[in-house]
């Protein structure tokens, strides 16, 4: 655990290999499958309007996921990294369907929580469980090492207040081309590949992106965003839905 935390602090991300067993991953898959055909307000689609892109907020309505966010393997990582008790700000499953899963442009996560939810400091941490194996064919995440040390360098590229732009393939806040050209010079980037059950921890300011899924298999990531209880939202500009922005700040306890 400490190697992952050290790596996350140093370069912006770290991977905990084989954190979850095959059996545990299969259980997670079965619970996700219960919601794939559910026209729920936390489900979003690709531009074709029919290919699922993401499911949000399952911990708000499913006991399995409300328990998962308190799993000590995840919660202890979050508390150790943040140095405080924390609550879950957001849970989402990012889908990349075979041949249809669209990219995520270069971006940082923190601007969405700062501008959309009123969280003033980047004292949050993302913990992502690989639900499927992820190779280069699957549209794996690509990280720019140490980019979290630059602070918030995102630019608003879509002038609207709807939360739907925050989860679309054309994100509200992105990183300008000149920054990417400079930061990725000399192959300064890393594709995060791995096996189902691996866990990726990454800083909310690390710059990342992902491409199309050109494989015949799903590539799903279950991403938990924990926020420090010392970093609660303050006067958000826009009230985003509770499946994107928590309104329960009760500190979590491991089970």
């Amino acid at each position: 655990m400490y190697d992952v935390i050290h790596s996350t602090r140093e370069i912006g991300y770290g991977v905990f290999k084989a954190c979850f067993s095959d059996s545990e991953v299969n259980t997670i898959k079965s619970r996700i499958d219960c919601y794939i055909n559910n026209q729920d307000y936390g489900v979003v689609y690709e531009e074709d309007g029919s290919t699922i892109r993401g499911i949000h907020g399952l911990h708000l309505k499913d006991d399995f996921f409300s328990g998962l966010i308190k799993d000590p393997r995840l919660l202890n990582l979050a508390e150790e990294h943040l140095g405080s008790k924390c609550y879950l700000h957001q849970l989402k499953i990012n889908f990349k369907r075979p041949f249809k899963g669209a990219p995520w442009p270069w971006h940082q996560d923190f601007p969405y929580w700062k501008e959309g939810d009123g969280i003033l400091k980047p004292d949050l941490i993302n913990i992502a469980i690989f639900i499927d194996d992820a190779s280069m064919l699957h549209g794996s995440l690509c990280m720019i090492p140490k980019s979290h040390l630059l602070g918030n360098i995102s630019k608003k590229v879509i002038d609207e207040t709807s939360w739907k732009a925050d989860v679309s393939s054309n994100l509200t806040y992105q990183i300008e081309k000149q920054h990417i050209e400079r930061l990725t010079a000399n192959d300064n980037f890393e594709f995060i590949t791995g096996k189902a059950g691996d866990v990726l921890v990454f800083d909310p300011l690390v710059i990342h992106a992902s491409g199309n899924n050109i494989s015949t298999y799903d590539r799903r990531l279950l991403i938990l965003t924990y926020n420090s209880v010392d970093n609660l939202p303050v006067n958000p500009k826009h009230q985003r839905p509770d499946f994107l922005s928590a309104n329960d700040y009760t500190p979590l306890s491991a089970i």
Side-chain angles (χ1 to χ4, degrees), residues 7-221:
S7 178
T8 303
R9 290 172 177 166
E10 288 293 310
I11 67 171
Y13 55 90
V15 177
F16 190 163
K17 293 289 186 181
C19 184
F20 285 79
S21 68
D22 291 344
S23 175
E24 289 175 311
V25 171
N26 287 335
T27 300
I28 296 173
K29 287 180 180 179
S30 69
R31 294 307 306 158
I32 292 173
D33 288 345
C34 294
Y35 295 92
I36 287 178
N37 297 316
N38 188 344
Q39 300 292 317
D40 188 85
Y41 75 143
V43 178
V44 297
Y45 297 90
E46 301 286 7
E47 291 185 4
D48 62 12
S50 60
T51 301
I52 194 165
R53 181 173 176 83
I55 300 177
H56 303 76
L58 290 183
H59 64 300
L60 301 175
K61 55 193 173 186
D62 189 300
D63 289 342
F64 173 80
F65 289 102
S66 65
L68 182 64
I69 68 175
K70 302 172 188 175
D71 187 297
R73 288 168 292 186
L74 306 173
L75 186 54
N76 289 350
L77 267 173
E79 291 179 343
E80 181 67 27
H81 180 83
L82 296 173
S84 70
K85 299 292 287 184
C86 55
Y87 70 93
L88 193 86
H89 184 65
Q90 187 182 99
L91 180 153
K92 60 189 173 188
I93 298 103
N94 282 349
F95 282 71
K96 279 188 185 284
R97 287 303 207 185
F99 295 112
K100 294 184 178 181
W104 292 88
W106 289 108
H107 68 283
Q108 298 169 298
D109 288 343
F110 178 59
Y112 297 90
W113 305 325
K114 181 177 186 292
E115 302 299 330
D117 304 330
I119 296 176
L120 302 183
K121 297 184 293 183
D123 295 341
L124 307 95
I125 194 66
N126 289 316
I127 301 180
I129 305 170
F130 284 46
I131 306 304
D132 306 288
D133 294 348
S135 73
M136 296 292 290
L137 288 177
H138 296 90
S140 294
L141 281 172
C142 185
M143 301 280 186
I144 299 180
K146 298 189 176 183
S147 55
H148 65 305
L149 302 176
L150 301 172
N152 183 3
I153 63 169
S154 300
K155 180 180 180 180
K156 189 173 185 179
V157 298
I158 297 179
D159 189 20
E160 65 172 88
T161 59
S162 171
W163 63 266
K164 293 182 179 179
D166 296 344
V167 294
S168 73
S169 57
N170 189 18
L171 291 172
T172 307
Y173 299 94
Q174 299 183 30
I175 306 299
E176 293 179 287
K177 179 181 176 181
Q178 64 266 27
H179 291 311
I180 300 303
E181 289 177 337
R182 173 175 57 86
L183 293 170
T184 59
N186 302 314
D187 295 333
N188 182 43
F189 54 84
E190 182 179 0
F191 285 94
I192 310 299
T193 59
K195 297 291 186 180
D198 291 349
V199 164
L200 167 69
V201 182
F202 61 105
D203 189 279
L205 285 171
V206 72
I207 297 171
H208 59 289
S210 64
N212 297 82
N213 183 358
I214 58 173
S215 79
T216 57
Y217 298 98
D218 284 319
R219 192 235 70 179
R220 291 164 292 183
L221 278 178

